[in-house]
Amino acid sequence: MFQGLSDKLQETFKRLKGKGKLKEADVNEAMREVRVALLEADVNFKVVKDFVAKVKERSIGLDVLESLSPAQQVIKIVHEEMITLMGGATGKILIASKPPTVIMLIGLQGAGKTTHAAKLANMLNKQGKHPLLVACDIYRPAAIKQLQVLGEQLKLPVFSMGQESPVEIAKASLKHANSNGQDVVIIDTAGRLHINEELMGELRDIKTAVKPHEILLVVDAMTGQDAVNVAESFHKELGLDGVILTKLDGDTRGGAALSIKAVTGCTIKFAGMGEKMDAIEPFHPDRMASRILG
Ligand code: GDP
């Protein structure tokens, strides 16, 4: 994950540490390299600009350049600013005071919604909850089957009504959960290849019908800035409570992880780290930054 970015930044910092005392020009030179590394990692242009400006402003302060280990101080500032960039609360599902807690997963086709609906159910089940998985992706027949197979594998219930309207399925699932002692309802909605009004309309209708406590967007980290644009559009239309950034186990460059929060204001709550049912982690900006900076 983030290997290219990580290698480049570490090279820059190694050179900086080799210099001993730093001049303003040394910081500027290092920040030029940081800028290129971030842009090559597909981080949003404006995010990069603001990030570099902030690090520069803090680093060129007299205290830093006059300190005993100026390079270390600069690296520390980069680390802190990177955490701020990805920052915010992490990895928690807001549990409703009156059950069931309703979680609605949305996103484009192939992002990993169905997989992460099941992963979330598994995680919450391990925390002592009784989740119900709900199959609202009625357009892709395989999606219902996929959810049922995952439910069976995890020994967790799956609610489906075939090709019924997604709004009706979602409403009925809450009743079902209430009468069967399930305290978390996880709704797997349909995706599309691209955002369109039909998709948004359907999601809005489900939202209105079941008033989810959490609307989580599932986006594929491998898609870089597209993931950021998708997050921005969904947030504007539906109001997201958080993002699940998937496929971080793959060879992703870092653009999505480093830009989503800064561009959209949405917190990345969870990271998908593989296809297995336990491959989900709370997203920790501090650990992410440490991974990138080595
Ligand atoms: P959906 O169309 O959004 O419901 O997407 P799916 O849940 O069907 O996932 C699409 C593909 O991505 C499947 O082959 C999943 O196994 C795979 N996938 C989902 N999440 C991850 C992840 O975090 N890492 C990896 N490597 N693959 C994932």
Side-chain angles (χ1 to χ4, degrees), residues 110-116 119 140 146 247 249 272-275:
K113 270 182 312 302
T114 305
T115 310
H116 282 80
K119 284 188 196 177
R140 198 166 58 96
Q146 188 186 346
K247 310 191 191 181
D249 52 308
M273 304 294 293
E275 298 190 71

Side-chain angles (χ1 to χ4, degrees), residues 9 13 31 50-52 54-55 57-59 64 71-88 258 261 284-290 292-293:
L9 292 180
F13 295 146
M31 285 312 120
D50 293 348
F51 178 84
V52 168
K54 228 183 215 164
V55 173
E57 186 192 313
R58 288 184 59 194
S59 301
V64 172
Q72 288 294 359
Q73 300 287 337
V74 173
I75 296 165
K76 187 161 162 270
I77 291 168
V78 170
H79 192 252
E80 286 167 4
E81 291 298 333
M82 216 173 239
I83 295 172
T84 306
L85 207 57
M86 295 184 278
L258 284 162
K261 167 81 185 179
H284 290 293
D286 49 346
R287 283 189 215 159
M288 250 340 134
S290 300
I292 295 169
L293 298 175

Side-chain angles (χ1 to χ4, degrees), residues 210-224:
V210 300
K211 300 187 178 54
H213 301 92
E214 295 259 4
I215 300 182
L216 300 179
L217 174 73
V218 180
V219 279
D220 178 345
M222 303 288 282
T223 61

